[in-house]
Amino acid sequence: MNNLINSNYLLKDAQKNGYAIPAFNVHNLETVHVVLDTAKRLGSPVIVAGTPGTYKYGGIPEMISIVDTAARDRDMQVVLHLDHHHDLGDIEYKVRSGIRSAMIDGSGLPLEENIALTKQAVELCHRFGCSVEAEIGQLVGQEDDLIVEVANDPYTVPEDALKLVQDTNIDSLAIAIGTAHGMYKETPKLDFERLKKIRDLIDIPLVLHGASGVPHEDVSRCIDMGICKVNVATELKIAYADTLKQVFSDNPKVNDPREYNVAAKAAMAEVIEQKILVCKSQGRI
């Protein structure tokens, strides 16, 4: 059994049956274990995602080996995903190394340039059975080493999204309807009417980035309206880091990671469980 798979079957099943696949950003052994253990316990399909900064921090072969081995040990098939990648050479190396799901992020480019870059990524990735997610409409905020202070196109234009899909043969599309990367200073106002227009035009799975801090009822509504993949990153880091800080504050003498990581991992698992329930992906495998 191949433990690292592309996202096509999972996303199409989610689209057919009215739920979403949760995608959680990881950074190390501990976060991989928490994501897979929680997904396994709840019977949820899952996407494990890493930005270019994550793969640089953890090491490309090391991150692949950690996720692959952890999935095999838990008898799971897992999507290991390239989140917000821009460089085709970098993508090719990672795909040749065994990753089977990639996001090519041309959202900061003019439409025609985004299409041209995305087409190259699709031609490359599909040769290896690697699914491709593209993005149109740019989210502001920070996602690891990706910082966007002002977006050129902060909302997805439905007709532009249709052209991107038709011209590139992508497998899924991330859209901008009012979410942002990072945590929100105030409750985000999502453009549900825009989502409906996009869904009416496009039949491939749609992706919601920037779900950290979005009210659960809004995420649920997006899923009911056709979102098939929900990305969560910042909330996981905050839960883990804040709990870890509290552990050291309460017990300054603790020095064993096997001890001080326990509570931090449990806090992260609680967030993951909440997101899985919001996605309605529990019990799907």
Side-chain angles (χ1 to χ4, degrees):
M1 180 177 73
N2 292 327
N3 297 96
L4 301 185
I5 60 174
N6 69 38
S7 66
N8 286 338
Y9 172 78
L10 297 185
L11 293 181
K12 288 177 181 177
D13 189 73
Q15 184 177 36
K16 177 181 177 181
N17 293 293
Y19 66 100
I21 308 297
F24 300 111
N25 281 66
V26 299
H27 302 91
N28 55 14
L29 175 70
E30 286 78 15
T31 52
V32 170
H33 282 177
V34 178
V35 169
L36 295 193
D37 285 341
T38 309
K40 178 72 173 183
R41 175 168 56 83
L42 295 174
S44 173
V46 70
I47 294 172
V48 175
T51 62
T54 294
Y55 288 99
K56 181 178 180 181
Y57 168 78
I60 296 167
E62 290 91 339
M63 290 300 297
I64 294 172
S65 295
I66 287 171
V67 177
D68 185 32
T69 303
R72 182 180 299 111
D73 186 57
R74 290 158 178 78
D75 193 27
M76 298 174 69
Q77 287 188 304
V78 174
V79 178
L80 178 56
H81 180 67
L82 304 179
D83 192 26
H84 287 289
H85 279 59
H86 304 81
D87 182 82
L88 291 174
D90 182 37
I91 292 173
E92 180 174 6
Y93 176 78
K94 290 169 180 171
V95 170
R96 286 183 179 275
S97 298
I99 293 175
R100 291 295 174 261
S101 179
M103 178 199 179
I104 179 67
D105 186 357
S107 62
L109 301 172
L111 177 60
E112 292 302 329
E113 292 181 30
N114 189 356
I115 289 173
L117 177 65
T118 301
K119 284 179 69 174
Q120 292 180 71
V122 169
E123 291 170 2
L124 164 66
C125 291
H126 281 186
R127 293 204 309 269
F128 295 90
C130 175
S131 54
V132 178
E133 172 188 328
E135 184 170 30
I136 186 166
Q138 194 174 31
L139 275 64
V140 298
Q142 182 170 355
E143 174 79 4
D144 283 356
D145 49 348
L146 174 67
I147 301 174
V148 179
E149 295 181 352
V150 179
N152 295 325
D153 297 302
Y155 287 90
T156 299
V157 176
E159 293 76 16
D160 289 350
L162 176 61
K163 180 172 176 56
L164 181 86
V165 170
Q166 290 178 331
D167 289 358
T168 62
N169 195 32
I170 54 174
D171 302 290
S172 60
L173 179 67
I175 58 173
I177 57 170
T179 55
H181 291 131
M183 294 300 289
Y184 299 89
K185 296 180 180 178
E186 56 187 37
T187 302
K189 297 178 181 178
L190 304 190
D191 191 340
F192 294 105
E193 183 60 30
R194 186 179 300 270
L195 171 56
K196 182 180 184 303
K197 290 178 180 177
I198 296 169
R199 177 74 285 165
D200 288 344
L201 288 174
I202 295 170
D203 61 0
I204 66 171
L206 298 178
V207 177
L208 183 70
H209 283 228
S212 289
V214 177
H216 290 170
E217 58 268 25
D218 285 352
V219 176
S220 293
R221 186 177 175 186
C222 286
I223 294 168
D224 291 340
M225 295 179 67
I227 290 293
C228 303
K229 173 175 175 269
V230 174
N231 286 27
V232 181
T234 304
E235 272 189 85
L236 302 182
K237 292 189 289 188
I238 290 174
Y240 192 99
D242 285 357
T243 304
L244 193 59
K245 293 172 190 174
Q246 190 62 49
V247 169
F248 284 123
S249 176
D250 294 341
N251 187 3
K253 293 184 178 180
V254 65
N255 60 19
D256 190 335
R258 295 169 298 180
E259 296 179 14
Y260 61 66
N261 273 317
V262 172
K265 290 170 69 175
M268 186 177 174
E270 184 175 342
V271 175
I272 293 169
E273 179 170 348
Q274 291 174 355
K275 300 304 179 183
I276 287 174
L277 296 179
V278 170
C279 287
K280 299 179 289 187
S281 62
Q282 73 275 17
R284 301 287 180 172
I285 57 173

PDB file of all heavy atoms in Angstrom, residues 102-135:
ATOM      1  N   ALA A 102       0.607  18.970  -4.536  1.00  0.00           N
ATOM      2  CA  ALA A 102       1.345  20.230  -4.583  1.00  0.00           C
ATOM      3  C   ALA A 102       0.401  21.394  -4.827  1.00  0.00           C
ATOM      4  O   ALA A 102      -0.546  21.295  -5.618  1.00  0.00           O
ATOM      5  CB  ALA A 102       2.410  20.189  -5.677  1.00  0.00           C
ATOM      6  N   MET A 103       0.681  22.495  -4.149  1.00  0.00           N
ATOM      7  CA  MET A 103      -0.003  23.746  -4.452  1.00  0.00           C
ATOM      8  C   MET A 103       0.979  24.680  -5.130  1.00  0.00           C
ATOM      9  O   MET A 103       2.029  25.003  -4.575  1.00  0.00           O
ATOM     10  CB  MET A 103      -0.530  24.417  -3.180  1.00  0.00           C
ATOM     11  CG  MET A 103      -1.196  25.756  -3.482  1.00  0.00           C
ATOM     12  SD  MET A 103      -1.318  26.797  -2.029  1.00  0.00           S
ATOM     13  CE  MET A 103      -2.115  28.242  -2.764  1.00  0.00           C
ATOM     14  N   ILE A 104       0.625  25.126  -6.331  1.00  0.00           N
ATOM     15  CA  ILE A 104       1.401  26.142  -7.007  1.00  0.00           C
ATOM     16  C   ILE A 104       0.700  27.473  -6.757  1.00  0.00           C
ATOM     17  O   ILE A 104      -0.462  27.652  -7.106  1.00  0.00           O
ATOM     18  CB  ILE A 104       1.553  25.845  -8.523  1.00  0.00           C
ATOM     19  CG1 ILE A 104       2.362  26.952  -9.203  1.00  0.00           C
ATOM     20  CG2 ILE A 104       0.220  25.621  -9.206  1.00  0.00           C
ATOM     21  CD1 ILE A 104       3.807  27.014  -8.768  1.00  0.00           C
ATOM     22  N   ASP A 105       1.392  28.385  -6.118  1.00  0.00           N
ATOM     23  CA  ASP A 105       0.778  29.646  -5.717  1.00  0.00           C
ATOM     24  C   ASP A 105       1.218  30.771  -6.642  1.00  0.00           C
ATOM     25  O   ASP A 105       2.254  31.390  -6.455  1.00  0.00           O
ATOM     26  CB  ASP A 105       1.148  29.965  -4.266  1.00  0.00           C
ATOM     27  CG  ASP A 105       0.431  31.199  -3.738  1.00  0.00           C
ATOM     28  OD1 ASP A 105      -0.312  31.834  -4.517  1.00  0.00           O
ATOM     29  OD2 ASP A 105       0.617  31.519  -2.552  1.00  0.00           O
ATOM     30  N   GLY A 106       0.392  31.026  -7.641  1.00  0.00           N
ATOM     31  CA  GLY A 106       0.612  32.162  -8.533  1.00  0.00           C
ATOM     32  C   GLY A 106      -0.366  33.276  -8.265  1.00  0.00           C
ATOM     33  O   GLY A 106      -0.591  34.132  -9.129  1.00  0.00           O
ATOM     34  N   SER A 107      -0.936  33.305  -7.056  1.00  0.00           N
ATOM     35  CA  SER A 107      -2.013  34.248  -6.758  1.00  0.00           C
ATOM     36  C   SER A 107      -1.553  35.698  -6.756  1.00  0.00           C
ATOM     37  O   SER A 107      -2.374  36.610  -6.921  1.00  0.00           O
ATOM     38  CB  SER A 107      -2.653  33.906  -5.408  1.00  0.00           C
ATOM     39  OG  SER A 107      -1.704  34.007  -4.359  1.00  0.00           O
ATOM     40  N   GLY A 108      -0.257  35.934  -6.568  1.00  0.00           N
ATOM     41  CA  GLY A 108       0.241  37.295  -6.578  1.00  0.00           C
ATOM     42  C   GLY A 108       0.562  37.812  -7.972  1.00  0.00           C
ATOM     43  O   GLY A 108       0.965  38.966  -8.129  1.00  0.00           O
ATOM     44  N   LEU A 109       0.368  36.963  -8.995  1.00  0.00           N
ATOM     45  CA  LEU A 109       0.673  37.321 -10.379  1.00  0.00           C
ATOM     46  C   LEU A 109      -0.584  37.776 -11.119  1.00  0.00           C
ATOM     47  O   LEU A 109      -1.697  37.396 -10.744  1.00  0.00           O
ATOM     48  CB  LEU A 109       1.269  36.116 -11.113  1.00  0.00           C
ATOM     49  CG  LEU A 109       2.548  35.517 -10.535  1.00  0.00           C
ATOM     50  CD1 LEU A 109       2.886  34.218 -11.278  1.00  0.00           C
ATOM     51  CD2 LEU A 109       3.695  36.507 -10.623  1.00  0.00           C
ATOM     52  N   PRO A 110      -0.425  38.539 -12.184  1.00  0.00           N
ATOM     53  CA  PRO A 110      -1.571  38.807 -13.064  1.00  0.00           C
ATOM     54  C   PRO A 110      -2.142  37.495 -13.592  1.00  0.00           C
ATOM     55  O   PRO A 110      -1.437  36.476 -13.671  1.00  0.00           O
ATOM     56  CB  PRO A 110      -0.956  39.645 -14.199  1.00  0.00           C
ATOM     57  CG  PRO A 110       0.268  40.257 -13.602  1.00  0.00           C
ATOM     58  CD  PRO A 110       0.799  39.239 -12.627  1.00  0.00           C
ATOM     59  N   LEU A 111      -3.399  37.494 -13.967  1.00  0.00           N
ATOM     60  CA  LEU A 111      -4.102  36.269 -14.334  1.00  0.00           C
ATOM     61  C   LEU A 111      -3.346  35.438 -15.360  1.00  0.00           C
ATOM     62  O   LEU A 111      -3.166  34.221 -15.180  1.00  0.00           O
ATOM     63  CB  LEU A 111      -5.504  36.601 -14.856  1.00  0.00           C
ATOM     64  CG  LEU A 111      -6.338  35.408 -15.348  1.00  0.00           C
ATOM     65  CD1 LEU A 111      -6.563  34.398 -14.235  1.00  0.00           C
ATOM     66  CD2 LEU A 111      -7.665  35.899 -15.927  1.00  0.00           C
ATOM     67  N   GLU A 112      -2.920  36.037 -16.459  1.00  0.00           N
ATOM     68  CA  GLU A 112      -2.270  35.268 -17.521  1.00  0.00           C
ATOM     69  C   GLU A 112      -0.955  34.655 -17.046  1.00  0.00           C
ATOM     70  O   GLU A 112      -0.609  33.536 -17.441  1.00  0.00           O
ATOM     71  CB  GLU A 112      -2.040  36.143 -18.755  1.00  0.00           C
ATOM     72  CG  GLU A 112      -3.324  36.553 -19.473  1.00  0.00           C
ATOM     73  CD  GLU A 112      -4.147  35.356 -19.939  1.00  0.00           C
ATOM     74  OE1 GLU A 112      -3.549  34.300 -20.257  1.00  0.00           O
ATOM     75  OE2 GLU A 112      -5.383  35.470 -20.006  1.00  0.00           O
ATOM     76  N   GLU A 113      -0.225  35.367 -16.197  1.00  0.00           N
ATOM     77  CA  GLU A 113       1.017  34.817 -15.665  1.00  0.00           C
ATOM     78  C   GLU A 113       0.730  33.696 -14.672  1.00  0.00           C
ATOM     79  O   GLU A 113       1.470  32.698 -14.613  1.00  0.00           O
ATOM     80  CB  GLU A 113       1.833  35.920 -14.999  1.00  0.00           C
ATOM     81  CG  GLU A 113       2.375  36.963 -15.975  1.00  0.00           C
ATOM     82  CD  GLU A 113       3.197  38.031 -15.274  1.00  0.00           C
ATOM     83  OE1 GLU A 113       3.818  37.709 -14.229  1.00  0.00           O
ATOM     84  OE2 GLU A 113       3.216  39.175 -15.767  1.00  0.00           O
ATOM     85  N   ASN A 114      -0.317  33.839 -13.880  1.00  0.00           N
ATOM     86  CA  ASN A 114      -0.736  32.773 -12.973  1.00  0.00           C
ATOM     87  C   ASN A 114      -1.094  31.525 -13.772  1.00  0.00           C
ATOM     88  O   ASN A 114      -0.677  30.407 -13.424  1.00  0.00           O
ATOM     89  CB  ASN A 114      -1.946  33.251 -12.148  1.00  0.00           C
ATOM     90  CG  ASN A 114      -2.322  32.289 -11.020  1.00  0.00           C
ATOM     91  OD1 ASN A 114      -1.755  31.220 -10.861  1.00  0.00           O
ATOM     92  ND2 ASN A 114      -3.319  32.690 -10.238  1.00  0.00           N
ATOM     93  N   ILE A 115      -1.833  31.705 -14.853  1.00  0.00           N
ATOM     94  CA  ILE A 115      -2.206  30.574 -15.704  1.00  0.00           C
ATOM     95  C   ILE A 115      -0.973  29.903 -16.293  1.00  0.00           C
ATOM     96  O   ILE A 115      -0.851  28.670 -16.291  1.00  0.00           O
ATOM     97  CB  ILE A 115      -3.165  31.042 -16.820  1.00  0.00           C
ATOM     98  CG1 ILE A 115      -4.541  31.391 -16.220  1.00  0.00           C
ATOM     99  CG2 ILE A 115      -3.313  29.972 -17.905  1.00  0.00           C
ATOM    100  CD1 ILE A 115      -5.503  32.018 -17.210  1.00  0.00           C
ATOM    101  N   ALA A 116      -0.039  30.695 -16.790  1.00  0.00           N
ATOM    102  CA  ALA A 116       1.167  30.137 -17.417  1.00  0.00           C
ATOM    103  C   ALA A 116       1.980  29.328 -16.402  1.00  0.00           C
ATOM    104  O   ALA A 116       2.434  28.208 -16.695  1.00  0.00           O
ATOM    105  CB  ALA A 116       2.014  31.254 -18.021  1.00  0.00           C
ATOM    106  N   LEU A 117       2.177  29.877 -15.204  1.00  0.00           N
ATOM    107  CA  LEU A 117       2.926  29.167 -14.170  1.00  0.00           C
ATOM    108  C   LEU A 117       2.207  27.901 -13.740  1.00  0.00           C
ATOM    109  O   LEU A 117       2.824  26.836 -13.584  1.00  0.00           O
ATOM    110  CB  LEU A 117       3.134  30.083 -12.959  1.00  0.00           C
ATOM    111  CG  LEU A 117       3.845  29.467 -11.752  1.00  0.00           C
ATOM    112  CD1 LEU A 117       5.292  29.111 -12.107  1.00  0.00           C
ATOM    113  CD2 LEU A 117       3.803  30.432 -10.556  1.00  0.00           C
ATOM    114  N   THR A 118       0.910  28.008 -13.577  1.00  0.00           N
ATOM    115  CA  THR A 118       0.119  26.857 -13.127  1.00  0.00           C
ATOM    116  C   THR A 118       0.137  25.741 -14.163  1.00  0.00           C
ATOM    117  O   THR A 118       0.230  24.553 -13.812  1.00  0.00           O
ATOM    118  CB  THR A 118      -1.324  27.292 -12.821  1.00  0.00           C
ATOM    119  OG1 THR A 118      -1.307  28.305 -11.796  1.00  0.00           O
ATOM    120  CG2 THR A 118      -2.159  26.120 -12.346  1.00  0.00           C
ATOM    121  N   LYS A 119       0.061  26.084 -15.440  1.00  0.00           N
ATOM    122  CA  LYS A 119       0.121  25.075 -16.497  1.00  0.00           C
ATOM    123  C   LYS A 119       1.435  24.307 -16.444  1.00  0.00           C
ATOM    124  O   LYS A 119       1.450  23.083 -16.603  1.00  0.00           O
ATOM    125  CB  LYS A 119      -0.037  25.739 -17.877  1.00  0.00           C
ATOM    126  CG  LYS A 119      -1.462  26.159 -18.209  1.00  0.00           C
ATOM    127  CD  LYS A 119      -1.546  26.825 -19.573  1.00  0.00           C
ATOM    128  CE  LYS A 119      -1.300  25.824 -20.686  1.00  0.00           C
ATOM    129  NZ  LYS A 119      -1.520  26.439 -22.027  1.00  0.00           N
ATOM    130  N   GLN A 120       2.533  25.004 -16.199  1.00  0.00           N
ATOM    131  CA  GLN A 120       3.816  24.323 -16.099  1.00  0.00           C
ATOM    132  C   GLN A 120       3.840  23.368 -14.906  1.00  0.00           C
ATOM    133  O   GLN A 120       4.366  22.255 -14.999  1.00  0.00           O
ATOM    134  CB  GLN A 120       4.938  25.355 -15.950  1.00  0.00           C
ATOM    135  CG  GLN A 120       5.175  26.220 -17.171  1.00  0.00           C
ATOM    136  CD  GLN A 120       6.303  27.213 -16.928  1.00  0.00           C
ATOM    137  OE1 GLN A 120       7.478  26.840 -16.845  1.00  0.00           O
ATOM    138  NE2 GLN A 120       5.954  28.478 -16.789  1.00  0.00           N
ATOM    139  N   ALA A 121       3.268  23.811 -13.807  1.00  0.00           N
ATOM    140  CA  ALA A 121       3.229  22.954 -12.616  1.00  0.00           C
ATOM    141  C   ALA A 121       2.393  21.712 -12.864  1.00  0.00           C
ATOM    142  O   ALA A 121       2.751  20.602 -12.450  1.00  0.00           O
ATOM    143  CB  ALA A 121       2.686  23.735 -11.427  1.00  0.00           C
ATOM    144  N   VAL A 122       1.255  21.870 -13.537  1.00  0.00           N
ATOM    145  CA  VAL A 122       0.388  20.732 -13.838  1.00  0.00           C
ATOM    146  C   VAL A 122       1.099  19.740 -14.752  1.00  0.00           C
ATOM    147  O   VAL A 122       1.059  18.526 -14.518  1.00  0.00           O
ATOM    148  CB  VAL A 122      -0.929  21.215 -14.478  1.00  0.00           C
ATOM    149  CG1 VAL A 122      -1.724  20.039 -15.034  1.00  0.00           C
ATOM    150  CG2 VAL A 122      -1.758  21.981 -13.452  1.00  0.00           C
ATOM    151  N   GLU A 123       1.750  20.238 -15.797  1.00  0.00           N
ATOM    152  CA  GLU A 123       2.463  19.353 -16.722  1.00  0.00           C
ATOM    153  C   GLU A 123       3.545  18.566 -15.987  1.00  0.00           C
ATOM    154  O   GLU A 123       3.757  17.376 -16.245  1.00  0.00           O
ATOM    155  CB  GLU A 123       3.071  20.186 -17.853  1.00  0.00           C
ATOM    156  CG  GLU A 123       2.025  20.779 -18.796  1.00  0.00           C
ATOM    157  CD  GLU A 123       2.615  21.792 -19.760  1.00  0.00           C
ATOM    158  OE1 GLU A 123       3.846  22.006 -19.711  1.00  0.00           O
ATOM    159  OE2 GLU A 123       1.848  22.382 -20.547  1.00  0.00           O
ATOM    160  N   LEU A 124       4.236  19.221 -15.074  1.00  0.00           N
ATOM    161  CA  LEU A 124       5.275  18.566 -14.293  1.00  0.00           C
ATOM    162  C   LEU A 124       4.686  17.542 -13.328  1.00  0.00           C
ATOM    163  O   LEU A 124       5.071  16.363 -13.320  1.00  0.00           O
ATOM    164  CB  LEU A 124       6.065  19.621 -13.508  1.00  0.00           C
ATOM    165  CG  LEU A 124       6.947  19.106 -12.359  1.00  0.00           C
ATOM    166  CD1 LEU A 124       8.080  18.245 -12.889  1.00  0.00           C
ATOM    167  CD2 LEU A 124       7.474  20.276 -11.539  1.00  0.00           C
ATOM    168  N   CYS A 125       3.753  17.969 -12.511  1.00  0.00           N
ATOM    169  CA  CYS A 125       3.248  17.134 -11.421  1.00  0.00           C
ATOM    170  C   CYS A 125       2.439  15.947 -11.916  1.00  0.00           C
ATOM    171  O   CYS A 125       2.539  14.835 -11.366  1.00  0.00           O
ATOM    172  CB  CYS A 125       2.419  17.980 -10.464  1.00  0.00           C
ATOM    173  SG  CYS A 125       3.390  19.181  -9.517  1.00  0.00           S
ATOM    174  N   HIS A 126       1.616  16.147 -12.925  1.00  0.00           N
ATOM    175  CA  HIS A 126       0.762  15.060 -13.397  1.00  0.00           C
ATOM    176  C   HIS A 126       1.569  13.905 -13.976  1.00  0.00           C
ATOM    177  O   HIS A 126       1.093  12.764 -13.984  1.00  0.00           O
ATOM    178  CB  HIS A 126      -0.247  15.597 -14.424  1.00  0.00           C
ATOM    179  CG  HIS A 126      -1.417  16.295 -13.782  1.00  0.00           C
ATOM    180  ND1 HIS A 126      -2.496  16.751 -14.510  1.00  0.00           N
ATOM    181  CD2 HIS A 126      -1.696  16.581 -12.482  1.00  0.00           C
ATOM    182  CE1 HIS A 126      -3.377  17.302 -13.696  1.00  0.00           C
ATOM    183  NE2 HIS A 126      -2.903  17.215 -12.461  1.00  0.00           N
ATOM    184  N   ARG A 127       2.780  14.168 -14.422  1.00  0.00           N
ATOM    185  CA  ARG A 127       3.636  13.079 -14.914  1.00  0.00           C
ATOM    186  C   ARG A 127       3.969  12.092 -13.805  1.00  0.00           C
ATOM    187  O   ARG A 127       4.243  10.924 -14.066  1.00  0.00           O
ATOM    188  CB  ARG A 127       4.940  13.635 -15.506  1.00  0.00           C
ATOM    189  CG  ARG A 127       4.782  14.449 -16.758  1.00  0.00           C
ATOM    190  CD  ARG A 127       6.074  14.457 -17.577  1.00  0.00           C
ATOM    191  NE  ARG A 127       7.251  14.825 -16.806  1.00  0.00           N
ATOM    192  CZ  ARG A 127       7.706  16.073 -16.683  1.00  0.00           C
ATOM    193  NH1 ARG A 127       7.069  17.067 -17.270  1.00  0.00           N
ATOM    194  NH2 ARG A 127       8.798  16.317 -15.978  1.00  0.00           N
ATOM    195  N   PHE A 128       3.939  12.571 -12.569  1.00  0.00           N
ATOM    196  CA  PHE A 128       4.283  11.735 -11.418  1.00  0.00           C
ATOM    197  C   PHE A 128       3.054  11.328 -10.604  1.00  0.00           C
ATOM    198  O   PHE A 128       3.186  10.801  -9.498  1.00  0.00           O
ATOM    199  CB  PHE A 128       5.268  12.484 -10.512  1.00  0.00           C
ATOM    200  CG  PHE A 128       6.602  12.748 -11.149  1.00  0.00           C
ATOM    201  CD1 PHE A 128       6.827  13.912 -11.862  1.00  0.00           C
ATOM    202  CD2 PHE A 128       7.631  11.822 -11.053  1.00  0.00           C
ATOM    203  CE1 PHE A 128       8.058  14.166 -12.452  1.00  0.00           C
ATOM    204  CE2 PHE A 128       8.861  12.062 -11.640  1.00  0.00           C
ATOM    205  CZ  PHE A 128       9.079  13.240 -12.346  1.00  0.00           C
ATOM    206  N   GLY A 129       1.868  11.576 -11.138  1.00  0.00           N
ATOM    207  CA  GLY A 129       0.657  11.248 -10.391  1.00  0.00           C
ATOM    208  C   GLY A 129       0.436  12.156  -9.202  1.00  0.00           C
ATOM    209  O   GLY A 129      -0.186  11.756  -8.214  1.00  0.00           O
ATOM    210  N   CYS A 130       0.949  13.365  -9.285  1.00  0.00           N
ATOM    211  CA  CYS A 130       0.839  14.343  -8.203  1.00  0.00           C
ATOM    212  C   CYS A 130      -0.291  15.310  -8.508  1.00  0.00           C
ATOM    213  O   CYS A 130      -0.337  15.917  -9.585  1.00  0.00           O
ATOM    214  CB  CYS A 130       2.162  15.108  -8.058  1.00  0.00           C
ATOM    215  SG  CYS A 130       2.140  16.449  -6.855  1.00  0.00           S
ATOM    216  N   SER A 131      -1.239  15.441  -7.581  1.00  0.00           N
ATOM    217  CA  SER A 131      -2.347  16.367  -7.766  1.00  0.00           C
ATOM    218  C   SER A 131      -1.870  17.809  -7.588  1.00  0.00           C
ATOM    219  O   SER A 131      -0.899  18.073  -6.890  1.00  0.00           O
ATOM    220  CB  SER A 131      -3.471  16.060  -6.772  1.00  0.00           C
ATOM    221  OG  SER A 131      -2.984  16.032  -5.449  1.00  0.00           O
ATOM    222  N   VAL A 132      -2.574  18.732  -8.234  1.00  0.00           N
ATOM    223  CA  VAL A 132      -2.165  20.141  -8.213  1.00  0.00           C
ATOM    224  C   VAL A 132      -3.323  21.026  -7.758  1.00  0.00           C
ATOM    225  O   VAL A 132      -4.418  20.978  -8.318  1.00  0.00           O
ATOM    226  CB  VAL A 132      -1.672  20.613  -9.593  1.00  0.00           C
ATOM    227  CG1 VAL A 132      -1.299  22.093  -9.548  1.00  0.00           C
ATOM    228  CG2 VAL A 132      -0.481  19.784 -10.041  1.00  0.00           C
ATOM    229  N   GLU A 133      -3.045  21.835  -6.757  1.00  0.00           N
ATOM    230  CA  GLU A 133      -3.949  22.880  -6.298  1.00  0.00           C
ATOM    231  C   GLU A 133      -3.376  24.220  -6.746  1.00  0.00           C
ATOM    232  O   GLU A 133      -2.181  24.465  -6.603  1.00  0.00           O
ATOM    233  CB  GLU A 133      -4.062  22.831  -4.771  1.00  0.00           C
ATOM    234  CG  GLU A 133      -4.832  23.977  -4.143  1.00  0.00           C
ATOM    235  CD  GLU A 133      -4.746  23.963  -2.619  1.00  0.00           C
ATOM    236  OE1 GLU A 133      -4.648  22.864  -2.036  1.00  0.00           O
ATOM    237  OE2 GLU A 133      -4.758  25.044  -2.011  1.00  0.00           O
ATOM    238  N   ALA A 134      -4.216  25.080  -7.284  1.00  0.00           N
ATOM    239  CA  ALA A 134      -3.804  26.432  -7.642  1.00  0.00           C
ATOM    240  C   ALA A 134      -4.573  27.417  -6.780  1.00  0.00           C
ATOM    241  O   ALA A 134      -5.477  27.043  -6.031  1.00  0.00           O
ATOM    242  CB  ALA A 134      -4.055  26.694  -9.127  1.00  0.00           C
ATOM    243  N   GLU A 135      -4.211  28.687  -6.883  1.00  0.00           N
ATOM    244  CA  GLU A 135      -4.906  29.715  -6.105  1.00  0.00           C
ATOM    245  C   GLU A 135      -5.140  30.933  -6.980  1.00  0.00           C
ATOM    246  O   GLU A 135      -4.274  31.343  -7.752  1.00  0.00           O
ATOM    247  CB  GLU A 135      -4.108  30.112  -4.861  1.00  0.00           C
ATOM    248  CG  GLU A 135      -4.850  31.111  -3.977  1.00  0.00           C
ATOM    249  CD  GLU A 135      -4.185  31.326  -2.619  1.00  0.00           C
ATOM    250  OE1 GLU A 135      -2.939  31.208  -2.535  1.00  0.00           O
ATOM    251  OE2 GLU A 135      -4.905  31.601  -1.649  1.00  0.00           O
TER     252      GLU A 135
END
